[in-house]
Structures are given as structure tokens and as C-alpha cells.
Amino acid sequence: MNTAKVDEPIVSIRGLTKSFGSHTVLNGIDFDIQPQQVVVVIGPSGSGKSTFLRCCNGLEQAEGGTIDICGHRLVDHGEMLKERSLNALRTEVGMVFQSFNLFPHLSVLHNITVGPRMLRGASKAEAEAAATALLEKVGLAHKAHVMPASLSGGQKQRVAIARALAMQPRVMLFDEPTSALDPELVGEVLQVMKLLASEGMTMVVVTHEMGFAKEVADVVVVMDGGVIVEAGPPAEIFSAPSQPRTRAFLQAVLSRA
């Protein structure tokens, strides 16, 4: 886990609210994330975890509160950044989805280089050199020229991580990155995420992988009913949770493990 922290949060959220129709999904979220922290968000399905993450890069527009991220005011009392500024922010905030979202008509290498070339102005040679290094990092250098359809789910997710890293983000968001994978493929994706954490990447991870949370997280956030029930170091959350809702959730999850 990372121990070197600074006082200025890289993400600061205050009073965040979001509803879908009459259903309140986020109900006054307050939270700070420090540079190089690994924050793992857990909780029952429907608790607002993925919506919280999607609000942090503008994929969902919050209705109230503020989000400051990477020096940008993303949301200011329900008003979101204009499109050009939002695109600039997204070069600093990478996101990995459970469904991979690779471009099926592009090779693995092209999937990774298209963002830096279009949004960061990288040359073809620069982008391909960086992409090759990232594929080495995720153990897929030998797959650079294949099409995504030939990859396993775990390989697709590792390419998706490399693609997000190619934009040189300051924060990485992971929305249940292993939930669509066969059990035997989960470990290879978690291994890459552990490597990123050890290198000091700031990460916010929504997951049901409790072992990953225990081993890698600096802070575990427990959500239920659109609120943060409690947050703290993994040893505290897993060994001595203070809230009944946390205890009930962990009992249900760990009993299935």
C-alpha cells in the first residue's frame, strides 16, 4: 500500500446528489481522495457505487454538490464543465469499465494509440512507442497486432487498462473491472491493478473483490442507499466495522466467498 501522502486532495467531493426520476441514487456524498491513494468502494448492488464513479468523470451529471478533480471544478452545484473543458479533464481521469469498451474494428495497438494521437497530439511513432511499453506492462506485447475479438476477457480488460493509461491520467477509475470475467481470468487483471497501485497511481475502484480491497486499499468506502455508511483502513472496516449495515453486508459477501 502507499504511505506517502500530501495534504491537498486530488479529488474533493461535497454534497453530491443524483437522482433517476423519483429514486435518489446519491444523497449528499462528502469525500476526499489524496494523491497516490487507492480507494476501494464496496457495498450492495444498487447502493450508488457506479453512479458515484461515473459522476467523477462527467459520464453522469450530478444534480447538486461540487466535485473538484485534478484541479478542475467538474461539478458546481449541478452545473457541469463545458464540453471542451470536460474533454480536457478526461485526459487526466482514466476510466476502465466492466464491459471493456474496446473498438472491435481496430487492432490492440490502434485501440491504445488513437486517444493520444487525437486528444494529446502525439505522433504515430510516439503513440506506438508508448503503447508498446504499456502492453509490456500488462503482459500483452505479443498481442499488439491482433483484433480484440481474438482476446480472452481478461486480455481485453488488460488492453482497456493500457488504453486508459496511454492518456497519462492522474487518476484511474475502475468500475467493477472483473465482474464480467470468468473466475480464472480475474487474477490477471487484479495483478495489473496491484502493479499500478505499487507505482503510486491514484485509484478509485468499485469492486466485489474483497481480497483486493484488503490487500491493496488505503481506504475502503462502504456505500449503501446512496450514502457513505463508513470509510476507513481495510483492517478497520473488515475486522471491526462500526456500522450494522457494514457488518450485514460483509457477513453476506464473505459467507459466499
Side-chain angles (χ1 to χ4, degrees):
M1 289 191 299
N2 307 304
T3 55
K5 302 290 184 290
V6 296
D7 292 331
E8 187 68 28
I10 195 168
V11 181
S12 184
I13 297 167
R14 293 292 179 270
L16 185 66
T17 60
K18 172 68 179 178
S19 298
F20 293 111
S22 61
H23 177 53
T24 300
V25 182
L26 301 175
N27 192 9
I29 301 290
D30 294 329
F31 199 69
D32 286 339
I33 299 167
Q34 302 296 335
Q36 300 188 349
Q37 267 191 335
V38 178
V39 175
V40 175
V41 185
I42 64 174
S45 297
S47 58
K49 306 183 299 297
S50 292
T51 301
F52 166 68
L53 211 61
R54 291 170 67 85
C55 285
C56 287
N57 77 342
L59 287 174
E60 294 286 356
Q61 181 165 357
E63 291 156 0
T66 60
I67 301 176
D68 292 289
I69 184 166
C70 296
H72 302 267
R73 174 60 61 94
L74 171 60
V75 176
D76 191 355
H77 302 289
E79 293 294 321
M80 199 151 68
L81 277 175
K82 301 300 183 187
E83 190 66 26
R84 181 178 298 178
S85 299
L86 186 57
N87 288 337
L89 171 67
R90 285 178 178 154
T91 67
E92 299 189 74
V93 183
M95 188 155 183
V96 176
F97 303 86
Q98 56 184 295
S99 55
F100 322 131
N101 288 3
L102 299 178
F103 299 116
H105 60 293
L106 302 180
S107 71
V108 164
L109 187 70
H110 198 174
N111 260 280
I112 298 171
T113 59
V114 65
R117 293 191 66 190
M118 291 182 64
L119 298 176
R120 285 196 175 275
S123 69
K124 185 174 186 284
E126 289 170 339
E128 289 188 351
T132 300
L134 287 168
L135 285 170
E136 289 274 5
K137 181 193 286 280
V138 301
L140 290 173
H142 60 298
K143 297 291 187 180
H145 300 291
V146 308
M147 304 301 283
S150 71
L151 301 177
S152 70
Q155 291 170 334
K156 288 177 183 177
Q157 194 60 294
R158 284 186 280 158
V159 172
I161 293 172
R163 182 177 64 178
L165 291 173
M167 297 302 293
Q168 302 173 35
R170 296 172 62 195
V171 177
M172 284 283 285
L173 309 177
F174 294 85
D175 187 9
E176 299 194 22
T178 60
S179 65
L181 301 180
D182 292 333
E184 66 270 21
L185 302 177
V186 168
E188 63 191 52
V189 174
L190 294 182
Q191 217 36 57
V192 171
M193 294 169 65
K194 290 175 185 178
L195 174 62
L196 296 181
S198 72
E199 293 176 344
M201 174 61 74
T202 306
M203 298 165 60
V204 187
V205 184
V206 170
T207 186
H208 293 291
E209 299 293 337
M210 298 299 129
F212 177 84
K214 290 178 183 178
E215 181 182 350
V216 181
D218 296 300
V219 178
V220 175
V221 174
V222 184
M223 289 187 66
D224 193 11
V227 300
I228 293 177
V229 176
E230 62 181 307
E236 178 183 300
I237 296 297
F238 287 102
S239 300
S242 64
Q243 299 299 314
R245 281 189 287 177
T246 303
R247 291 195 290 272
F249 169 72
L250 290 175
Q251 184 176 21
V253 170
L254 297 177
S255 68
R256 296 196 298 266

